[in-house]
Amino acid sequence: MSIKECKLIQLPKITDPRGNLTFIEGNHHIPFDIKRVYYLYDVPGGAERGGHAHKQLQQLIIGISGSFDVILDDGHEKRRFHMSRSYYGLYLGSMIWRELDNFSSASVCMVLASTVYEESDYYRDYQEFLEAVKIKQ
Ligand code: TYD
């Protein structure tokens, strides 16, 4: 997948003086069925997460609270996204190397994923990822 196919998706937002509400339906607001949800929290200042790509997995990354940056890399091009709104999700297809940094205090990064956790779906070595990108072209 090219980095150009990764995109910020604006999610529905029901504004209300009692507090706003956002919802996400799989295969409707995002292009996959949701099989798993996980979140990063209690991230210490200066920490970096990610540092991998997936062979098949699709994901939506949401800055539920606070803010952080996501750096995407398709092996040719890199782009940095600042996530600070809980009604925007960053859609990532397969074969995209991602790193997360610049976490603010009390930030929460929630991820919706298209499959259950499978270690065999990861590229954790950047050189191996670059080789795989070349072969797939
Ligand atoms: P990892 O995906 O490397 O985290 P990040 O990319 O956010 O830095 O996962 C960290 C650890 O958690 C690793 O040992 C695998 C485990 N893990 C699960 O068991 N299930 C999951 O759904 C996820 C995302 C991770």
Side-chain angles (χ1 to χ4, degrees), residues 113-124:
S114 65
T115 68
V116 296
Y117 172 75
E118 275 176 81
E119 186 58 34
S120 60
D121 188 64
Y122 280 73
Y123 287 105
R124 292 196 183 271

Side-chain angles (χ1 to χ4, degrees), residues 6-137:
C6 299
K7 57 183 179 202
L8 281 171
I9 296 178
Q10 186 167 2
L11 301 165
K13 180 182 179 188
I14 312 290
T15 53
D16 190 307
R18 299 170 302 160
N20 300 331
L21 182 152
T22 285
F23 56 94
I24 305 160
E25 294 171 359
N27 273 324
H28 180 188
H29 302 105
I30 55 174
F32 59 85
D33 240 351
I34 301 161
K35 291 273 169 53
R36 176 168 52 119
V37 177
Y38 65 91
Y39 34 94
L40 300 170
Y41 54 99
D42 292 346
V43 180
E48 293 176 7
R49 302 283 323 210
H52 56 75
H54 288 279
K55 297 173 188 171
Q56 300 292 336
L57 186 73
Q58 301 174 72
Q59 293 178 308
L60 188 82
I61 299 179
I62 305 165
I64 287 291
S65 181
S67 66
F68 54 87
D69 289 357
V70 184
I71 305 101
L72 302 184
D73 174 358
D74 63 8
H76 300 284
E77 200 185 327
K78 287 189 190 189
R79 271 186 80 182
R80 180 179 283 268
F81 293 85
H82 185 61
M83 306 301 294
S84 61
R85 300 270 179 240
S86 34
Y87 55 93
Y88 274 99
L90 179 60
Y91 170 74
L92 274 72
S94 57
M95 299 302 288
I96 301 288
W97 189 268
R98 88 288 312 273
E99 283 169 14
L100 288 82
D101 66 11
N102 199 23
F103 286 90
S104 72
S105 64
S107 54
V108 179
C109 167
M110 187 172 81
V111 183
L112 310 182
S114 65
T115 68
V116 296
Y117 172 75
E118 275 176 81
E119 186 58 34
S120 60
D121 188 64
Y122 280 73
Y123 287 105
R124 292 196 183 271
D125 181 273
Y126 186 65
Q127 289 311 318
E128 200 187 315
F129 163 70
L130 289 180
E131 288 302 316
V133 167
K134 267 191 229 157
I135 290 164
K136 281 180 194 284
Q137 277 170 352

